[in-house]
Amino acid sequence: MDRTMLTARIYVTLKPGVLDAQGDTVKSALETLGFKGVEEVRIGKFMLVTLNSATREEAKAQVEEMCRRLLANPVIEDYTFDLEALASAITAKTKIIYLCNPNNPTGTIFKRGQFERFVKQVPEHVLIILDEAYYEFTRENPEYPDSMTYRLDNVVTLRTFSKAYGMAGVRLGYGLGHDYLIGFVNRIKLPFEPNILAQHAGLAALADEDFLKRSLNNNTQVLKFLAEEFDRLGLKHIPSSANFIMVDFESREKVERLHNSLLRRGIAIRPLAAFGLPHCFRVTCGLPEENEAFLKALRMALK
Ligand SMILES: Cc1ncc(COP(=O)(O)O)c(C=O)c1O
């Protein structure tokens, strides 16, 4: 059979937001992602993709992969965001683009140049929400685009005391943005929120520079240490700019087996099926004795 001659049409149920996209926009986004042989994309109640593929099964697998990457997780091979693809997927109906940098659960960042090119392509009326929960861990990296240094009117920056400050249970975070946008938040914000104790804890945390320094130093050392140990064990891990490392562990079955085995030894890792990455897990940087306990359990589980 001439493989290039057979065309398969596949129906894929779409998420509500994607229904608004234009077929050509989706087609060019797919091409940007490196998918070859996409003849036509039609958007209706379903997305109809016409492909040059050898068999229906092959076409189905290809479209599933497209959906996984384009619609569910717009990340590319190295697990970074494909900002070009995201920009080209903007339509007249796009209202908000939510980006996490560093990203959870990959730990990757997009860089200054990528961000600067991206914002130029986003219309001013489209809101970009930048979740910078892990900002402190990478703010010294000159390639990191600290969104606050740009002061863009359509960008809202979100940060938290839950990560580098170790205060997740206090429930304190903050948003930075143009007066106009913060005005909308104030209209719906509950009174006395965050509570007074949390606010005082936050002020004390900001004043405690030594704690933050210790927290960040520990993190830098542990990222390096865990990366070296993973290399030694032959595990594929993704370079991280946050306080955790993602490991590509090849298959959902292997991740589940490891997860259960570690749980029996009192160690909790995070399997990432819920993030659309069933073949990966994430492990948080701990204190030295915690990392050692994790590695000991990991080595036993891998035997
Ligand atoms: C990307 C990201 N944003 C926000 C949060 C939550 O922050 P908070 O504890 O302030 O709700 C987390 C924590 O898991 C996160 O990973």
PDB file of all heavy atoms in Angstrom, residues 99 101 115 127-133 135 144-152 154-160 173-178 181-182:
ATOM      1  N   LEU A  99      -0.155  31.005  32.367  1.00  0.00           N
ATOM      2  CA  LEU A  99       1.154  30.355  32.221  1.00  0.00           C
ATOM      3  C   LEU A  99       1.831  30.238  33.573  1.00  0.00           C
ATOM      4  O   LEU A  99       1.717  31.145  34.403  1.00  0.00           O
ATOM      5  CB  LEU A  99       2.064  31.199  31.312  1.00  0.00           C
ATOM      6  CG  LEU A  99       1.643  31.363  29.864  1.00  0.00           C
ATOM      7  CD1 LEU A  99       2.542  32.399  29.186  1.00  0.00           C
ATOM      8  CD2 LEU A  99       1.723  30.035  29.125  1.00  0.00           C
ATOM      9  N   ASN A 101       5.449  29.770  35.421  1.00  0.00           N
ATOM     10  CA  ASN A 101       6.881  29.897  35.131  1.00  0.00           C
ATOM     11  C   ASN A 101       7.664  30.221  36.399  1.00  0.00           C
ATOM     12  O   ASN A 101       7.508  31.325  36.915  1.00  0.00           O
ATOM     13  CB  ASN A 101       7.092  31.030  34.100  1.00  0.00           C
ATOM     14  CG  ASN A 101       8.392  30.895  33.340  1.00  0.00           C
ATOM     15  OD1 ASN A 101       8.798  29.797  32.989  1.00  0.00           O
ATOM     16  ND2 ASN A 101       9.052  32.010  33.082  1.00  0.00           N
ATOM     17  N   PHE A 115       9.579  34.905  26.079  1.00  0.00           N
ATOM     18  CA  PHE A 115       8.472  35.655  26.677  1.00  0.00           C
ATOM     19  C   PHE A 115       8.265  36.982  25.934  1.00  0.00           C
ATOM     20  O   PHE A 115       7.145  37.382  25.630  1.00  0.00           O
ATOM     21  CB  PHE A 115       8.758  35.902  28.165  1.00  0.00           C
ATOM     22  CG  PHE A 115       7.680  36.683  28.861  1.00  0.00           C
ATOM     23  CD1 PHE A 115       6.399  36.164  28.978  1.00  0.00           C
ATOM     24  CD2 PHE A 115       7.937  37.932  29.404  1.00  0.00           C
ATOM     25  CE1 PHE A 115       5.387  36.878  29.615  1.00  0.00           C
ATOM     26  CE2 PHE A 115       6.939  38.650  30.046  1.00  0.00           C
ATOM     27  CZ  PHE A 115       5.664  38.123  30.146  1.00  0.00           C
ATOM     28  N   LEU A 127      -5.752  38.810  28.659  1.00  0.00           N
ATOM     29  CA  LEU A 127      -5.066  38.833  29.940  1.00  0.00           C
ATOM     30  C   LEU A 127      -4.075  37.668  30.019  1.00  0.00           C
ATOM     31  O   LEU A 127      -4.434  36.524  29.727  1.00  0.00           O
ATOM     32  CB  LEU A 127      -6.130  38.691  31.033  1.00  0.00           C
ATOM     33  CG  LEU A 127      -5.695  38.864  32.473  1.00  0.00           C
ATOM     34  CD1 LEU A 127      -5.108  40.253  32.694  1.00  0.00           C
ATOM     35  CD2 LEU A 127      -6.906  38.652  33.385  1.00  0.00           C
ATOM     36  N   ILE A 128      -2.838  37.976  30.407  1.00  0.00           N
ATOM     37  CA  ILE A 128      -1.852  36.901  30.640  1.00  0.00           C
ATOM     38  C   ILE A 128      -1.687  36.773  32.148  1.00  0.00           C
ATOM     39  O   ILE A 128      -1.294  37.736  32.819  1.00  0.00           O
ATOM     40  CB  ILE A 128      -0.486  37.242  30.009  1.00  0.00           C
ATOM     41  CG1 ILE A 128      -0.619  37.484  28.503  1.00  0.00           C
ATOM     42  CG2 ILE A 128       0.521  36.115  30.284  1.00  0.00           C
ATOM     43  CD1 ILE A 128       0.654  37.993  27.843  1.00  0.00           C
ATOM     44  N   ILE A 129      -2.034  35.614  32.680  1.00  0.00           N
ATOM     45  CA  ILE A 129      -1.830  35.395  34.109  1.00  0.00           C
ATOM     46  C   ILE A 129      -0.563  34.581  34.272  1.00  0.00           C
ATOM     47  O   ILE A 129      -0.435  33.486  33.705  1.00  0.00           O
ATOM     48  CB  ILE A 129      -3.032  34.685  34.754  1.00  0.00           C
ATOM     49  CG1 ILE A 129      -4.261  35.576  34.561  1.00  0.00           C
ATOM     50  CG2 ILE A 129      -2.768  34.410  36.230  1.00  0.00           C
ATOM     51  CD1 ILE A 129      -5.492  35.132  35.284  1.00  0.00           C
ATOM     52  N   LEU A 130       0.392  35.128  34.991  1.00  0.00           N
ATOM     53  CA  LEU A 130       1.664  34.434  35.170  1.00  0.00           C
ATOM     54  C   LEU A 130       1.769  33.905  36.585  1.00  0.00           C
ATOM     55  O   LEU A 130       1.907  34.677  37.535  1.00  0.00           O
ATOM     56  CB  LEU A 130       2.812  35.394  34.880  1.00  0.00           C
ATOM     57  CG  LEU A 130       3.350  35.277  33.467  1.00  0.00           C
ATOM     58  CD1 LEU A 130       4.409  36.322  33.195  1.00  0.00           C
ATOM     59  CD2 LEU A 130       3.948  33.894  33.244  1.00  0.00           C
ATOM     60  N   ASP A 131       1.671  32.605  36.709  1.00  0.00           N
ATOM     61  CA  ASP A 131       1.779  31.957  38.011  1.00  0.00           C
ATOM     62  C   ASP A 131       3.266  31.768  38.302  1.00  0.00           C
ATOM     63  O   ASP A 131       3.923  30.931  37.693  1.00  0.00           O
ATOM     64  CB  ASP A 131       1.033  30.616  37.939  1.00  0.00           C
ATOM     65  CG  ASP A 131       1.017  29.891  39.266  1.00  0.00           C
ATOM     66  OD1 ASP A 131       1.910  30.134  40.094  1.00  0.00           O
ATOM     67  OD2 ASP A 131       0.104  29.061  39.451  1.00  0.00           O
ATOM     68  N   GLU A 132       3.766  32.590  39.206  1.00  0.00           N
ATOM     69  CA  GLU A 132       5.199  32.525  39.546  1.00  0.00           C
ATOM     70  C   GLU A 132       5.375  31.994  40.968  1.00  0.00           C
ATOM     71  O   GLU A 132       6.145  32.538  41.770  1.00  0.00           O
ATOM     72  CB  GLU A 132       5.850  33.897  39.373  1.00  0.00           C
ATOM     73  CG  GLU A 132       5.900  34.333  37.910  1.00  0.00           C
ATOM     74  CD  GLU A 132       6.605  35.678  37.685  1.00  0.00           C
ATOM     75  OE1 GLU A 132       6.968  36.350  38.673  1.00  0.00           O
ATOM     76  OE2 GLU A 132       6.771  36.050  36.515  1.00  0.00           O
ATOM     77  N   ALA A 133       4.681  30.903  41.276  1.00  0.00           N
ATOM     78  CA  ALA A 133       4.738  30.325  42.625  1.00  0.00           C
ATOM     79  C   ALA A 133       6.177  29.918  42.989  1.00  0.00           C
ATOM     80  O   ALA A 133       6.551  29.940  44.159  1.00  0.00           O
ATOM     81  CB  ALA A 133       3.818  29.110  42.711  1.00  0.00           C
ATOM     82  N   TYR A 135       8.964  31.363  41.748  1.00  0.00           N
ATOM     83  CA  TYR A 135       9.827  32.460  41.315  1.00  0.00           C
ATOM     84  C   TYR A 135      11.135  32.552  42.109  1.00  0.00           C
ATOM     85  O   TYR A 135      12.221  32.689  41.559  1.00  0.00           O
ATOM     86  CB  TYR A 135       9.007  33.753  41.414  1.00  0.00           C
ATOM     87  CG  TYR A 135       9.757  35.001  41.735  1.00  0.00           C
ATOM     88  CD1 TYR A 135      10.406  35.706  40.724  1.00  0.00           C
ATOM     89  CD2 TYR A 135       9.805  35.509  43.041  1.00  0.00           C
ATOM     90  CE1 TYR A 135      11.083  36.882  41.017  1.00  0.00           C
ATOM     91  CE2 TYR A 135      10.476  36.671  43.337  1.00  0.00           C
ATOM     92  CZ  TYR A 135      11.122  37.344  42.327  1.00  0.00           C
ATOM     93  OH  TYR A 135      11.799  38.490  42.612  1.00  0.00           O
ATOM     94  N   TYR A 144      15.775  34.223  33.258  1.00  0.00           N
ATOM     95  CA  TYR A 144      14.392  34.094  33.734  1.00  0.00           C
ATOM     96  C   TYR A 144      13.645  35.423  33.560  1.00  0.00           C
ATOM     97  O   TYR A 144      14.101  36.466  34.054  1.00  0.00           O
ATOM     98  CB  TYR A 144      14.390  33.688  35.218  1.00  0.00           C
ATOM     99  CG  TYR A 144      13.003  33.625  35.819  1.00  0.00           C
ATOM    100  CD1 TYR A 144      12.114  32.627  35.437  1.00  0.00           C
ATOM    101  CD2 TYR A 144      12.580  34.577  36.743  1.00  0.00           C
ATOM    102  CE1 TYR A 144      10.833  32.576  35.975  1.00  0.00           C
ATOM    103  CE2 TYR A 144      11.308  34.524  37.286  1.00  0.00           C
ATOM    104  CZ  TYR A 144      10.442  33.529  36.904  1.00  0.00           C
ATOM    105  OH  TYR A 144       9.175  33.472  37.419  1.00  0.00           O
ATOM    106  N   PRO A 145      12.499  35.415  32.892  1.00  0.00           N
ATOM    107  CA  PRO A 145      11.755  36.661  32.708  1.00  0.00           C
ATOM    108  C   PRO A 145      10.860  36.970  33.906  1.00  0.00           C
ATOM    109  O   PRO A 145       9.700  36.590  33.923  1.00  0.00           O
ATOM    110  CB  PRO A 145      10.917  36.385  31.457  1.00  0.00           C
ATOM    111  CG  PRO A 145      10.711  34.899  31.455  1.00  0.00           C
ATOM    112  CD  PRO A 145      11.863  34.271  32.194  1.00  0.00           C
ATOM    113  N   ASP A 146      11.414  37.621  34.909  1.00  0.00           N
ATOM    114  CA  ASP A 146      10.614  38.058  36.064  1.00  0.00           C
ATOM    115  C   ASP A 146       9.557  39.018  35.522  1.00  0.00           C
ATOM    116  O   ASP A 146       9.868  40.117  35.070  1.00  0.00           O
ATOM    117  CB  ASP A 146      11.566  38.754  37.049  1.00  0.00           C
ATOM    118  CG  ASP A 146      10.838  39.492  38.151  1.00  0.00           C
ATOM    119  OD1 ASP A 146       9.595  39.607  38.101  1.00  0.00           O
ATOM    120  OD2 ASP A 146      11.542  39.980  39.062  1.00  0.00           O
ATOM    121  N   SER A 147       8.305  38.585  35.559  1.00  0.00           N
ATOM    122  CA  SER A 147       7.266  39.350  34.854  1.00  0.00           C
ATOM    123  C   SER A 147       7.103  40.758  35.428  1.00  0.00           C
ATOM    124  O   SER A 147       6.665  41.669  34.736  1.00  0.00           O
ATOM    125  CB  SER A 147       5.929  38.600  34.907  1.00  0.00           C
ATOM    126  OG  SER A 147       5.531  38.412  36.238  1.00  0.00           O
ATOM    127  N   MET A 148       7.486  40.949  36.695  1.00  0.00           N
ATOM    128  CA  MET A 148       7.313  42.271  37.295  1.00  0.00           C
ATOM    129  C   MET A 148       8.246  43.314  36.692  1.00  0.00           C
ATOM    130  O   MET A 148       7.985  44.504  36.764  1.00  0.00           O
ATOM    131  CB  MET A 148       7.539  42.191  38.816  1.00  0.00           C
ATOM    132  CG  MET A 148       6.343  41.681  39.566  1.00  0.00           C
ATOM    133  SD  MET A 148       4.847  42.569  39.094  1.00  0.00           S
ATOM    134  CE  MET A 148       5.188  44.193  39.739  1.00  0.00           C
ATOM    135  N   THR A 149       9.367  42.861  36.092  1.00  0.00           N
ATOM    136  CA  THR A 149      10.297  43.835  35.530  1.00  0.00           C
ATOM    137  C   THR A 149       9.744  44.438  34.235  1.00  0.00           C
ATOM    138  O   THR A 149      10.235  45.444  33.756  1.00  0.00           O
ATOM    139  CB  THR A 149      11.682  43.206  35.244  1.00  0.00           C
ATOM    140  OG1 THR A 149      11.472  42.130  34.318  1.00  0.00           O
ATOM    141  CG2 THR A 149      12.322  42.673  36.516  1.00  0.00           C
ATOM    142  N   TYR A 150       8.697  43.813  33.677  1.00  0.00           N
ATOM    143  CA  TYR A 150       8.156  44.306  32.400  1.00  0.00           C
ATOM    144  C   TYR A 150       7.027  45.317  32.589  1.00  0.00           C
ATOM    145  O   TYR A 150       6.774  46.135  31.724  1.00  0.00           O
ATOM    146  CB  TYR A 150       7.654  43.132  31.543  1.00  0.00           C
ATOM    147  CG  TYR A 150       8.758  42.230  31.064  1.00  0.00           C
ATOM    148  CD1 TYR A 150       9.130  41.117  31.792  1.00  0.00           C
ATOM    149  CD2 TYR A 150       9.437  42.499  29.891  1.00  0.00           C
ATOM    150  CE1 TYR A 150      10.145  40.274  31.366  1.00  0.00           C
ATOM    151  CE2 TYR A 150      10.451  41.668  29.449  1.00  0.00           C
ATOM    152  CZ  TYR A 150      10.807  40.557  30.186  1.00  0.00           C
ATOM    153  OH  TYR A 150      11.805  39.731  29.765  1.00  0.00           O
ATOM    154  N   ARG A 151       6.335  45.215  33.705  1.00  0.00           N
ATOM    155  CA  ARG A 151       5.209  46.115  34.011  1.00  0.00           C
ATOM    156  C   ARG A 151       4.211  46.219  32.849  1.00  0.00           C
ATOM    157  O   ARG A 151       3.853  47.307  32.408  1.00  0.00           O
ATOM    158  CB  ARG A 151       5.718  47.524  34.379  1.00  0.00           C
ATOM    159  CG  ARG A 151       6.830  47.552  35.406  1.00  0.00           C
ATOM    160  CD  ARG A 151       6.412  46.898  36.696  1.00  0.00           C
ATOM    161  NE  ARG A 151       5.328  47.582  37.334  1.00  0.00           N
ATOM    162  CZ  ARG A 151       5.350  48.003  38.595  1.00  0.00           C
ATOM    163  NH1 ARG A 151       6.409  47.790  39.337  1.00  0.00           N
ATOM    164  NH2 ARG A 151       4.312  48.611  39.112  1.00  0.00           N
ATOM    165  N   LEU A 152       3.788  45.067  32.362  1.00  0.00           N
ATOM    166  CA  LEU A 152       2.849  45.079  31.233  1.00  0.00           C
ATOM    167  C   LEU A 152       1.414  45.193  31.755  1.00  0.00           C
ATOM    168  O   LEU A 152       1.045  44.518  32.720  1.00  0.00           O
ATOM    169  CB  LEU A 152       3.011  43.790  30.413  1.00  0.00           C
ATOM    170  CG  LEU A 152       4.400  43.625  29.785  1.00  0.00           C
ATOM    171  CD1 LEU A 152       4.645  42.195  29.355  1.00  0.00           C
ATOM    172  CD2 LEU A 152       4.552  44.580  28.611  1.00  0.00           C
ATOM    173  N   ASN A 154      -1.377  44.127  30.643  1.00  0.00           N
ATOM    174  CA  ASN A 154      -2.271  42.961  30.538  1.00  0.00           C
ATOM    175  C   ASN A 154      -1.683  41.712  31.209  1.00  0.00           C
ATOM    176  O   ASN A 154      -2.089  40.599  30.915  1.00  0.00           O
ATOM    177  CB  ASN A 154      -2.621  42.657  29.070  1.00  0.00           C
ATOM    178  CG  ASN A 154      -1.402  42.335  28.235  1.00  0.00           C
ATOM    179  OD1 ASN A 154      -0.301  42.727  28.565  1.00  0.00           O
ATOM    180  ND2 ASN A 154      -1.608  41.602  27.153  1.00  0.00           N
ATOM    181  N   VAL A 155      -0.714  41.926  32.105  1.00  0.00           N
ATOM    182  CA  VAL A 155      -0.120  40.782  32.821  1.00  0.00           C
ATOM    183  C   VAL A 155      -0.434  40.877  34.308  1.00  0.00           C
ATOM    184  O   VAL A 155      -0.247  41.933  34.919  1.00  0.00           O
ATOM    185  CB  VAL A 155       1.414  40.731  32.614  1.00  0.00           C
ATOM    186  CG1 VAL A 155       2.055  39.690  33.543  1.00  0.00           C
ATOM    187  CG2 VAL A 155       1.740  40.400  31.161  1.00  0.00           C
ATOM    188  N   VAL A 156      -0.941  39.802  34.867  1.00  0.00           N
ATOM    189  CA  VAL A 156      -1.112  39.716  36.319  1.00  0.00           C
ATOM    190  C   VAL A 156      -0.136  38.665  36.824  1.00  0.00           C
ATOM    191  O   VAL A 156      -0.056  37.556  36.287  1.00  0.00           O
ATOM    192  CB  VAL A 156      -2.557  39.309  36.704  1.00  0.00           C
ATOM    193  CG1 VAL A 156      -2.643  39.004  38.198  1.00  0.00           C
ATOM    194  CG2 VAL A 156      -3.528  40.409  36.337  1.00  0.00           C
ATOM    195  N   THR A 157       0.640  39.026  37.836  1.00  0.00           N
ATOM    196  CA  THR A 157       1.651  38.117  38.388  1.00  0.00           C
ATOM    197  C   THR A 157       1.139  37.535  39.701  1.00  0.00           C
ATOM    198  O   THR A 157       0.661  38.279  40.560  1.00  0.00           O
ATOM    199  CB  THR A 157       2.955  38.910  38.651  1.00  0.00           C
ATOM    200  OG1 THR A 157       3.376  39.501  37.434  1.00  0.00           O
ATOM    201  CG2 THR A 157       4.047  38.008  39.210  1.00  0.00           C
ATOM    202  N   LEU A 158       1.224  36.218  39.839  1.00  0.00           N
ATOM    203  CA  LEU A 158       0.784  35.575  41.083  1.00  0.00           C
ATOM    204  C   LEU A 158       1.984  34.949  41.788  1.00  0.00           C
ATOM    205  O   LEU A 158       2.777  34.239  41.164  1.00  0.00           O
ATOM    206  CB  LEU A 158      -0.248  34.481  40.779  1.00  0.00           C
ATOM    207  CG  LEU A 158      -1.514  34.907  40.047  1.00  0.00           C
ATOM    208  CD1 LEU A 158      -2.429  33.704  39.841  1.00  0.00           C
ATOM    209  CD2 LEU A 158      -2.252  36.001  40.811  1.00  0.00           C
ATOM    210  N   ARG A 159       2.103  35.234  43.080  1.00  0.00           N
ATOM    211  CA  ARG A 159       3.197  34.627  43.876  1.00  0.00           C
ATOM    212  C   ARG A 159       2.639  34.115  45.203  1.00  0.00           C
ATOM    213  O   ARG A 159       1.513  34.418  45.573  1.00  0.00           O
ATOM    214  CB  ARG A 159       4.309  35.662  44.100  1.00  0.00           C
ATOM    215  CG  ARG A 159       4.941  36.050  42.779  1.00  0.00           C
ATOM    216  CD  ARG A 159       6.289  36.687  42.926  1.00  0.00           C
ATOM    217  NE  ARG A 159       6.782  37.038  41.597  1.00  0.00           N
ATOM    218  CZ  ARG A 159       7.505  38.108  41.329  1.00  0.00           C
ATOM    219  NH1 ARG A 159       7.839  38.935  42.300  1.00  0.00           N
ATOM    220  NH2 ARG A 159       7.921  38.349  40.094  1.00  0.00           N
ATOM    221  N   THR A 160       3.474  33.361  45.908  1.00  0.00           N
ATOM    222  CA  THR A 160       2.952  32.703  47.107  1.00  0.00           C
ATOM    223  C   THR A 160       4.032  32.559  48.177  1.00  0.00           C
ATOM    224  O   THR A 160       5.234  32.568  47.863  1.00  0.00           O
ATOM    225  CB  THR A 160       2.396  31.301  46.741  1.00  0.00           C
ATOM    226  OG1 THR A 160       1.898  30.677  47.917  1.00  0.00           O
ATOM    227  CG2 THR A 160       3.457  30.404  46.118  1.00  0.00           C
ATOM    228  N   GLY A 173      -0.770  34.378  49.721  1.00  0.00           N
ATOM    229  CA  GLY A 173      -0.151  34.634  48.428  1.00  0.00           C
ATOM    230  C   GLY A 173      -0.511  36.046  48.008  1.00  0.00           C
ATOM    231  O   GLY A 173      -1.231  36.753  48.723  1.00  0.00           O
ATOM    232  N   TYR A 174      -0.011  36.468  46.863  1.00  0.00           N
ATOM    233  CA  TYR A 174      -0.339  37.827  46.424  1.00  0.00           C
ATOM    234  C   TYR A 174      -0.327  37.915  44.899  1.00  0.00           C
ATOM    235  O   TYR A 174       0.266  37.080  44.212  1.00  0.00           O
ATOM    236  CB  TYR A 174       0.596  38.865  47.042  1.00  0.00           C
ATOM    237  CG  TYR A 174       2.075  38.606  46.844  1.00  0.00           C
ATOM    238  CD1 TYR A 174       2.785  39.272  45.844  1.00  0.00           C
ATOM    239  CD2 TYR A 174       2.756  37.713  47.650  1.00  0.00           C
ATOM    240  CE1 TYR A 174       4.146  39.051  45.664  1.00  0.00           C
ATOM    241  CE2 TYR A 174       4.112  37.479  47.486  1.00  0.00           C
ATOM    242  CZ  TYR A 174       4.804  38.149  46.496  1.00  0.00           C
ATOM    243  OH  TYR A 174       6.139  37.919  46.313  1.00  0.00           O
ATOM    244  N   GLY A 175      -1.034  38.930  44.429  1.00  0.00           N
ATOM    245  CA  GLY A 175      -1.082  39.172  42.988  1.00  0.00           C
ATOM    246  C   GLY A 175      -0.631  40.594  42.712  1.00  0.00           C
ATOM    247  O   GLY A 175      -0.880  41.500  43.517  1.00  0.00           O
ATOM    248  N   LEU A 176       0.052  40.764  41.601  1.00  0.00           N
ATOM    249  CA  LEU A 176       0.539  42.090  41.227  1.00  0.00           C
ATOM    250  C   LEU A 176       0.029  42.406  39.823  1.00  0.00           C
ATOM    251  O   LEU A 176       0.135  41.568  38.930  1.00  0.00           O
ATOM    252  CB  LEU A 176       2.074  42.089  41.225  1.00  0.00           C
ATOM    253  CG  LEU A 176       2.727  41.665  42.548  1.00  0.00           C
ATOM    254  CD1 LEU A 176       4.048  40.967  42.312  1.00  0.00           C
ATOM    255  CD2 LEU A 176       2.912  42.868  43.448  1.00  0.00           C
ATOM    256  N   GLY A 177      -0.522  43.586  39.668  1.00  0.00           N
ATOM    257  CA  GLY A 177      -1.034  43.931  38.342  1.00  0.00           C
ATOM    258  C   GLY A 177      -1.463  45.384  38.298  1.00  0.00           C
ATOM    259  O   GLY A 177      -1.352  46.128  39.291  1.00  0.00           O
ATOM    260  N   HIS A 178      -1.955  45.760  37.141  1.00  0.00           N
ATOM    261  CA  HIS A 178      -2.406  47.142  36.939  1.00  0.00           C
ATOM    262  C   HIS A 178      -3.597  47.439  37.863  1.00  0.00           C
ATOM    263  O   HIS A 178      -4.451  46.575  38.081  1.00  0.00           O
ATOM    264  CB  HIS A 178      -2.824  47.299  35.472  1.00  0.00           C
ATOM    265  CG  HIS A 178      -3.011  48.720  35.056  1.00  0.00           C
ATOM    266  ND1 HIS A 178      -4.116  49.460  35.431  1.00  0.00           N
ATOM    267  CD2 HIS A 178      -2.247  49.543  34.300  1.00  0.00           C
ATOM    268  CE1 HIS A 178      -4.019  50.674  34.919  1.00  0.00           C
ATOM    269  NE2 HIS A 178      -2.892  50.748  34.229  1.00  0.00           N
ATOM    270  N   LEU A 181      -6.999  46.267  36.835  1.00  0.00           N
ATOM    271  CA  LEU A 181      -7.302  44.839  36.990  1.00  0.00           C
ATOM    272  C   LEU A 181      -7.502  44.482  38.459  1.00  0.00           C
ATOM    273  O   LEU A 181      -8.422  43.737  38.810  1.00  0.00           O
ATOM    274  CB  LEU A 181      -6.175  43.988  36.395  1.00  0.00           C
ATOM    275  CG  LEU A 181      -5.995  44.098  34.888  1.00  0.00           C
ATOM    276  CD1 LEU A 181      -4.717  43.394  34.447  1.00  0.00           C
ATOM    277  CD2 LEU A 181      -7.206  43.485  34.172  1.00  0.00           C
ATOM    278  N   ILE A 182      -6.649  45.028  39.324  1.00  0.00           N
ATOM    279  CA  ILE A 182      -6.761  44.721  40.762  1.00  0.00           C
ATOM    280  C   ILE A 182      -8.120  45.224  41.271  1.00  0.00           C
ATOM    281  O   ILE A 182      -8.721  44.633  42.170  1.00  0.00           O
ATOM    282  CB  ILE A 182      -5.588  45.359  41.549  1.00  0.00           C
ATOM    283  CG1 ILE A 182      -4.247  44.816  41.027  1.00  0.00           C
ATOM    284  CG2 ILE A 182      -5.730  45.106  43.056  1.00  0.00           C
ATOM    285  CD1 ILE A 182      -4.030  43.323  41.139  1.00  0.00           C
TER     286      ILE A 182
END
